[in-house]
Amino acid sequence: MSEKTVLIVDDEAAIREMIAVALEMADYNYLEAADAREAHALIVDRNPDLILLDWMLPGASGVELVRRLKKDEATADIPIVMLTAKVEEDNKIQGLEVGADDYITKPFSPRELVARLKAVLRRTTPPGIDSPIEIEGLTLDPIGHRVSTQDGTLSMGPTEYRLLQFFMTHPERVYTRSQLLDQVWGGNVYVEERTVDVHIRRLRKALGDQYDHLIQTVRGAGYRFSTQTA
């Protein structure tokens, strides 16, 4: 059973229904929106794994929504497949230029649609979502929810685990406290930024002397996971 959730954004209820049935048969969860504003609210709130976005929408166009999503770090990595009509062939190029991952031309068969979605999800799923990640002997197993070293399993709380998983799948890059709050705690949770410092301390303690150096403090900026000395 797939745990992936696809957001269908189309102002035509009949098309949304046809796509919803195809997704349900392929074991995907789905959400529906009729316009860009409704879609954006759902994206921020529910963080879907993929967005199926109609080019022509009432109000803001599909491309305007893509631009907005790609500018925001919290939504920039969500893959987007544009739905375009035959007469809008030129739009495909524009859609890809602003950051869409693929497009599909109407009319399309449900089977073709699901095959394209699967291909995009395969391309865009970051390593470490399902497969274990190993960095310098530190191994995180996402399926077993375990972190281990050559000496055995490390004990840590669920927030420290999520923090480490985010760091290990996004290494060598500085994240501010506010970005970490969005990525690890979720954008809708109100938590003070100092909370991040507390969990970073706990994570370093859980990693022990051998691995705590991987979580680096970057003064005035935030934190980074790096195998290089700061």
Side-chain angles (χ1 to χ4, degrees):
M1 184 77 175
S2 171
E3 291 299 315
K4 301 285 186 191
T5 298
V6 176
L7 171 62
I8 309 161
V9 190
D10 198 302
D11 58 325
E12 291 182 56
I15 290 178
R16 290 203 308 273
E17 189 178 348
M18 182 267 284
I19 295 170
V21 170
L23 291 174
E24 211 166 283
M25 287 174 70
D27 285 338
Y28 287 97
N29 300 319
Y30 64 87
L31 303 164
E32 295 182 45
D35 58 42
R37 200 178 63 172
E38 190 184 349
H40 191 262
L42 274 171
I43 292 160
V44 170
D45 196 40
R46 303 288 294 277
N47 194 27
D49 296 290
L50 184 140
I51 301 162
L52 255 182
L53 180 60
D54 188 30
W55 180 270
M56 298 294 285
L57 288 172
S61 73
V63 161
E64 284 170 42
L65 180 59
V66 176
R67 278 202 190 100
R68 186 175 176 189
L69 295 173
K70 293 298 172 189
K71 271 185 199 157
D72 183 345
E73 196 149 340
T75 55
D77 292 336
I78 303 175
I80 298 168
V81 176
M82 302 286 297
L83 302 174
T84 65
K86 270 269 187 279
V87 292
E88 300 161 355
E89 290 286 311
D90 293 349
N91 295 351
K92 293 174 181 177
I93 306 300
Q94 199 188 339
L96 293 172
E97 277 175 354
V98 294
D101 295 271
D102 202 351
Y103 57 83
I104 190 162
T105 308
K106 298 176 186 176
F108 49 80
S109 73
R111 186 181 292 179
E112 181 194 359
L113 174 74
V114 170
R116 293 286 273 280
L117 295 191
K118 279 184 179 165
V120 169
L121 282 167
R122 263 201 311 275
R123 286 204 308 269
T124 54
T125 300
I129 294 300
D130 294 320
S131 51
I133 324 158
E134 188 272 326
I135 295 176
E136 291 197 347
L138 181 69
T139 304
L140 185 140
D141 172 12
I143 293 172
H145 264 249
R146 268 195 300 271
V147 179
S148 57
T149 67
Q150 294 95 323
D151 301 326
T153 304
L154 299 180
S155 171
M156 65 181 66
T159 304
E160 286 72 52
Y161 174 85
R162 288 201 311 274
L163 198 50
L164 182 62
Q165 184 174 28
F166 177 74
F167 274 138
M168 288 181 80
T169 50
H170 301 80
E172 310 299 340
R173 183 173 165 188
V174 178
Y175 287 92
T176 64
R177 289 168 180 80
S178 131
Q179 286 170 334
L180 289 171
L181 281 176
D182 279 348
Q183 297 288 343
V184 178
W185 279 259
N188 294 343
V189 181
Y190 178 72
V191 184
E192 282 193 32
E193 289 196 358
R194 278 177 307 196
T195 306
V196 176
D197 302 337
V198 173
H199 287 285
I200 291 279
R201 276 202 300 277
R202 285 184 190 165
L203 177 55
R204 282 178 175 148
K205 193 174 175 187
L207 290 173
D209 294 343
Q210 195 179 354
Y211 291 105
D212 62 357
H213 67 277
L214 295 171
I215 312 288
Q216 298 174 359
T217 303
V218 181
R219 292 212 181 284
Y223 295 101
R224 123 181 103 210
F225 183 93
S226 176
T227 55
Q228 293 155 40
T229 48

